[in-house]
Structure formats: C-alpha cells, structure tokens
Amino acid sequence: MRYIDEYRDPAGARRLAAAIARAATRPWTIMEVCGGQTHAIVRFGIDELLPEGLTLVHGPGCPVCVTPLETIDRAIAIASRRGVTLCSFGDMLRVPGSDKDLLRVKSEGGDVRVVYSPMDALKIAEANPSREVVFFGVGFETTAPANAMAVFQASRRGVENFSMLSAHVRVPPAMEAILSSEDNRVNGFLAAGHVCAVMGYEEYEPLAAKHRVPIVVTGFEPLDLLQGVLQCVAQLEAGRAEVENP
C-alpha cells in the first residue's frame, strides 16, 4: 500500500495547494469530468484546500445520470416482457423512468437481476437457453470494451439468447455540449485517466484548440487531482490551451 499512501500524502497535498494559491491570480472555474474524480474530491476535501475564487464544478461523468429517459423506459419495457431476463448493474435499478423503475418491475414479478459484469449476464444466458437474456449496457468508454467482449464471446460460443441494450456514451461529445452552451463558464477541464487509457487523449486536442480551454488528464488520488488543478491553472494564467498528460 506504500504507493497509494504516496498519492495521499498530507504534506504533499498542502504543498500543491500552496502552489495553486500562488499561481491563481484571478477567479477560474475548472470542471472534473469523471464521477470518480468528484468522489475523491469530496471524500478528501480537496475543494476545501483550494484558494477562494478557484471553483471546481462536477461534470457529466456518471453514466447513470446521463442515460436518456427514453432508454430507461426501453429497459423497463424489455424487463416487463415474459420470457425475458434483464441483467443490469445495481445502480440502474432505482433510476426512474416515466412511470416506474426497474426495481418496481422486479417487485412486480419481472426477472431483473443485478450482475457485476456483462460476462455474468452471458453466463446466465448460457444457463437458461429458454429465456432471452438482455444486458443493459451503460457506460462511457471504459465499459465499452468489456461489453463488446461479452457480445463477441456470445457469438463465438453460439449463444443465441443473449442480447444487449446499448446505452453507451462518450466523454468528448459531452464536453463539446458544455463548451458550446451560451451559459458555459468552464475555463478548463480535468480529464479522467482511465478513459484516456482506453481511448487516448488525442480526441481532446480539437476541443482544447476550438474552445481555447486547457484539458489536463489526471488520476483519482488527492495528489493526482491537485497536480492536475495546478497544471490547469498554470495554463489559464499563461493564456495557453493545451492537452497535458502528466
């Protein structure tokens, strides 16, 4: 655990916070994109370490929150059918549709099952060939590879009763929507390291150039995030708008 502790070093966090305070000469608003980053910021009180005038706002990084209502309704309709087993991650069960949620469908007798991976849903399909098993595939770029692998394995194994309701979304278009809004006040972004591990960070470069905003890739530990804020502030103060991957 030594390496985790290094990224949670209180003295190092205070040094980075002090450097941010020295670098920021005017108000700035920085958005962290990922819900995992938001969780760490709140858990470790990172926002409270920042100087007055420097604001962190929470971005659209929770795939549950950005799933359209019509897609939730479609999942509910599928789960309500006879002979269908709908498999989903647990956090989707309480998301309200137009009239009810998946948990209500389950209480009414629908076969709604919580799984921890799409491969779990594929195993259920293999064990129940008389039922149509549908996996509710929700997520950003980070979940897409695993979901695609489940589809590939289903085809490879000849499992014909497995299908997927795809609700995948991508981070760059969400950022583009924010930056294109007339009410946008975001000056810079902290991009999520695990998304960039899947897709790279080149897709952010046109956004940075078009909208003149710095985008800094960070991890999910306190020192990662504080270092990202420092680099973002340094760019803003210098009038630069680049993608940085520390």
Side-chain angles (χ1 to χ4, degrees):
M1 301 301 291
R2 178 172 63 90
Y3 298 106
I4 292 179
D5 292 343
E6 289 174 357
Y7 286 96
R8 298 179 181 179
D9 175 43
R14 286 192 290 270
R15 286 194 296 270
L16 284 169
I20 293 169
R22 291 192 299 270
T25 64
R26 67 192 84 174
W28 298 111
T29 299
I30 298 173
M31 173 178 285
E32 81 277 0
V33 173
C34 179
Q37 293 170 315
T38 301
H39 178 78
I41 287 168
V42 174
R43 176 184 178 189
F44 295 104
I46 293 172
D47 50 341
E48 297 179 4
L49 291 175
L50 301 180
E52 185 176 353
L54 183 58
T55 303
L56 290 181
V57 294
H58 309 321
C62 171
V64 176
C65 301
V66 300
T67 301
L69 177 63
E70 63 185 37
T71 304
I72 302 297
D73 286 341
R74 190 173 294 120
I76 291 169
I78 291 171
S80 301
R81 293 179 181 177
R82 288 189 177 185
V84 172
T85 298
L86 183 91
C87 298
S88 172
F89 296 134
D91 52 5
M92 295 303 300
L93 266 62
R94 293 185 181 275
V95 180
S98 297
D99 300 312
K100 52 187 172 182
D101 56 27
L102 287 169
L103 199 62
R104 172 65 68 84
V105 175
K106 183 177 178 66
S107 70
E108 293 173 347
D111 190 1
V112 178
R113 306 190 193 186
V114 174
V115 295
Y116 295 96
S117 81
M119 294 302 294
D120 291 341
L122 179 57
K123 290 178 182 178
I124 293 172
E126 288 180 306
N128 298 272
S130 64
R131 298 187 65 81
E132 179 67 25
V133 177
V134 181
F135 177 67
F136 193 6
V138 174
F140 282 96
E141 289 90 342
T142 47
T143 62
N147 292 345
M149 177 56 71
V151 173
F152 172 76
Q153 288 295 335
S155 175
R156 183 179 182 184
R157 300 177 191 179
V159 182
E160 297 183 355
N161 62 318
F162 177 79
S163 57
M164 183 174 297
L165 173 59
S166 179
H168 292 98
V169 290
R170 295 173 54 241
V171 171
M175 294 170 64
E176 172 68 40
I178 292 167
L179 291 168
S180 299
S181 171
E182 294 181 357
D183 299 325
N184 173 53
R185 297 182 181 179
V186 177
N187 305 119
F189 286 92
L190 302 181
H194 65 333
V195 172
C196 293
V198 173
M199 59 169 272
Y201 58 83
E202 291 80 6
E203 284 195 61
Y204 294 125
E205 292 174 346
L207 286 174
K210 176 182 176 180
H211 297 281
R212 297 298 302 164
V213 293
I215 302 173
V216 180
V217 181
T218 80
F220 301 88
E221 295 296 334
L223 298 195
D224 288 323
L225 292 161
L226 286 167
Q227 180 65 39
V229 172
L230 177 59
Q231 290 182 233
C232 198
V233 168
Q235 283 201 51
L236 289 167
E237 292 283 340
R240 294 186 294 115
E242 302 170 4
V243 178
E244 290 187 330
N245 183 28

